[in-house]
Amino acid sequence: MKKWTSLGALLFLTACGAGEEAADADDLSEQDWEEITAAAEGAEIGIYMWGGDEGVNAYIDDVVAPALEESYDITLARYPMEAPEFLSRLRTEREAGSMDGSADILWINGENFRIAKENDLLYGSFAELLPNMEAYVNDDAPYVETDMGIPVEGMQVPWGNVQYAFQFRGDADPPETMEGLLSWAEENPGAFTYPNVSNDTGAGFVRHVMHHVADDAEDLETFDEEWLEEKGEEVWHILRELQPHLWREGRTYPETLEQQDQLFSSGEVDVTLGFNEYRAESLVDQGTFPEDTQTVGLESGSIASTHYLSMPFNTTEPEAALTAINYLLSPEAQTAKLDPERWGEGHILDLDALSEEENEAIESLSGEEIVPQETILPELDARYVDWIQQNWEQEVVQQR
């Protein structure tokens, strides 16, 4: 139950008033950080986030939630759902004028951030309110200002960095390039598939095919309709040629990464894939993935992706959400996220801003490099994701 302060009560009344807008970041910009954290005490908040990875869930439940409870008397609940689902819910609430939101933090990036921003589903520009954003995140990092070509404008803050990688079972010599992977799938019919492109894992695979087709990675750093007109058909041709060699001959595709992982775990396919090159370790330890799982970052290139934390327009607990997000950017929380027994994913910290002890802790958990820095590919502009999702069904699935 909320322990009300005068500021908290005022914001609640503002949020719930008929036809009135909730307080936004401008309303809190004049407050000291100590006032914001004091107003957050006793709050119960929720985060809309993908719930398909037990390591991620364990990190939130076993590390973040207890820390917020102990340090700030904030109770954090996970609301597992895919981003399109919670964006649809927020859009409905926006249309209905509902300012009594059921969640206070959003795990979001890329195309979903663009949709949220364009439909006025976000709280506003809050990044400059966070002390840990100023202290530990490098302002010059490219992902701070833009997300897949979309200006961030302080409406979200980076939470983690990951690389796209492939997990193989029982293969002593897995392919190491996209060309090799396509040949491997043809030579091992039914052993490979990728999710429907409505899922970012599936769209991510197609983006790698686009990089394979491109003459230079820089060709795709900004949206270029002429490139699509010239090279787009080659992308679809490769996917059509791949389709009959997929699981179930490409008659159906996994709808989510969870379904893809289930196929991999049960042995129906020999490959799973996705963003986060370190995710397999905890899944092997849990017995979900087979012990002979081998993770491969393609030498021909692996897309780097940053994911973010934002706030919905109708949070009723903005102070508590800001306090929680600030904690999630701390060296403590970011280092714990590296632990492969839980999440095992990359941090967003500026190493130059950390103490020697903090750097040593990060180094001890970072593990062996799976994706060499020289093979990292830039993420594509979000409008390419639109193109993939709008055309894949017609250009690939329906061309059987």
Side-chain angles (χ1 to χ4, degrees):
M1 185 65 64
K2 174 73 179 180
K3 299 174 184 174
W4 299 109
T5 65
S6 58
L7 175 61
L10 176 61
L11 290 171
F12 178 80
L13 291 172
T14 303
C16 295
E20 295 184 36
E21 291 292 310
D24 62 19
D26 288 340
D27 297 308
L28 297 179
S29 62
E30 300 301 319
Q31 302 292 327
D32 292 335
W33 182 248
E34 290 75 16
E35 292 179 286
I36 291 175
T37 56
E41 290 182 6
E44 298 179 3
I45 60 174
I47 178 172
Y48 283 146
M49 60 180 289
W50 174 62
D53 187 304
E54 289 308 311
V56 178
N57 297 341
Y59 171 72
I60 295 295
D61 296 343
D62 302 339
V63 176
V64 175
L68 291 175
E69 180 72 32
E70 179 179 353
S71 299
Y72 303 103
D73 193 20
I74 293 173
T75 301
L76 175 66
R78 282 187 299 108
Y79 301 142
M81 63 183 72
E82 299 280 350
E85 182 181 353
F86 68 67
L87 289 180
S88 177
R89 179 175 298 189
L90 288 172
R91 187 177 289 178
T92 299
E93 291 172 352
R94 170 58 85 184
E95 291 172 352
S98 173
M99 303 307 296
D100 187 13
S102 56
D104 308 278
I105 302 173
L106 309 176
W107 183 13
I108 198 168
N109 78 328
E111 174 65 5
N112 293 310
F113 171 66
R114 183 184 67 81
I115 291 170
K117 185 180 179 185
E118 290 181 352
N119 287 275
D120 199 22
L121 304 181
L122 301 177
Y123 178 72
S125 181
F126 65 89
E128 291 186 355
L129 300 177
L130 305 176
N132 287 340
M133 185 69 185
E134 180 179 357
Y136 299 115
V137 181
N138 186 347
D139 285 343
D140 294 329
Y143 49 76
V144 171
E145 295 295 331
T146 61
D147 174 12
M148 295 180 69
I150 308 155
V152 169
E153 298 179 319
M155 295 183 182
Q156 61 178 5
V157 294
W159 190 22
N161 287 316
V162 290
Q163 301 291 146
Y164 203 94
F166 298 79
Q167 287 78 41
F168 289 81
R169 63 154 62 230
D171 194 314
D173 188 27
E176 296 180 344
T177 65
M178 177 55 70
E179 183 176 5
L181 176 62
L182 296 171
S183 297
W184 185 93
E186 184 174 351
E187 294 163 3
N188 296 271
F192 179 74
T193 192
Y194 61 95
N196 184 303
V197 301
S198 61
N199 180 282
D200 193 51
T201 303
F205 175 73
V206 178
R207 299 201 294 276
H208 278 83
V209 173
M210 294 175 69
H211 269 297
H212 175 63
V213 169
D215 297 323
D216 190 305
E218 294 183 358
D219 291 350
L220 298 173
E221 285 194 86
T222 57
F223 185 69
D224 186 347
E225 290 188 4
E226 291 185 5
W227 189 93
L228 290 177
E229 292 174 2
E230 179 182 350
K231 300 285 190 177
E233 176 54 31
E234 186 175 349
V235 174
W236 301 132
H237 174 76
I238 289 172
L239 294 171
R240 287 194 294 264
E241 290 291 301
L242 174 65
Q243 185 166 244
H245 307 297
L246 297 177
W247 171 70
R248 293 188 176 177
E249 298 179 340
R251 291 191 297 272
T252 185
Y253 291 78
E255 288 298 318
T256 63
L257 176 57
E258 296 98 303
Q259 292 182 12
Q260 176 91 24
D261 284 347
Q262 288 167 6
L263 294 176
F264 179 72
S265 299
S266 66
E268 289 193 60
V269 298
D270 291 335
V271 187
T272 190
L273 64 173
F275 287 104
N276 189 0
E277 67 273 37
Y278 294 108
R279 74 187 190 97
E281 184 169 343
S282 63
L283 294 169
V284 171
D285 290 343
Q286 295 164 18
T288 302
F289 281 5
E291 291 186 0
D292 62 354
T293 298
Q294 181 176 353
T295 297
V296 173
L298 298 181
E299 291 180 0
S300 56
S302 166
I303 292 176
S305 180
T306 302
H307 54 87
Y308 298 78
L309 294 169
S310 188
M311 296 165 59
F313 73 95
N314 58 355
T315 171
T316 59
E317 302 286 0
E319 306 99 329
L322 289 168
T323 302
I325 292 172
N326 189 64
Y327 169 75
L328 288 165
L329 300 185
S330 69
E332 174 190 350
Q334 286 284 309
T335 301
K337 188 157 60 71
L338 286 164
D339 188 347
E341 292 185 3
R342 290 193 174 92
W343 193 342
E345 74 133 19
H347 65 84
I348 48 79
L349 300 171
D350 179 0
L351 297 179
D352 291 337
L354 304 183
S355 68
E356 182 178 348
E357 292 77 15
E358 288 166 339
N359 272 287
E360 289 175 353
I362 287 174
E363 185 176 351
S364 70
L365 289 170
S366 295
E368 182 181 352
E369 184 179 67
I370 293 174
V371 180
Q373 290 295 308
E374 61 269 19
T375 68
I376 292 176
L377 295 172
E379 182 56 282
L380 279 65
D381 187 291
R383 286 169 288 185
Y384 286 118
V385 180
D386 288 343
W387 176 78
I388 292 169
Q389 294 177 338
Q390 291 167 5
N391 294 284
W392 177 77
E393 180 81 23
Q394 178 179 337
E395 295 292 345
V396 180
V397 179
Q398 295 179 11
Q399 298 300 317
R400 289 188 52 80

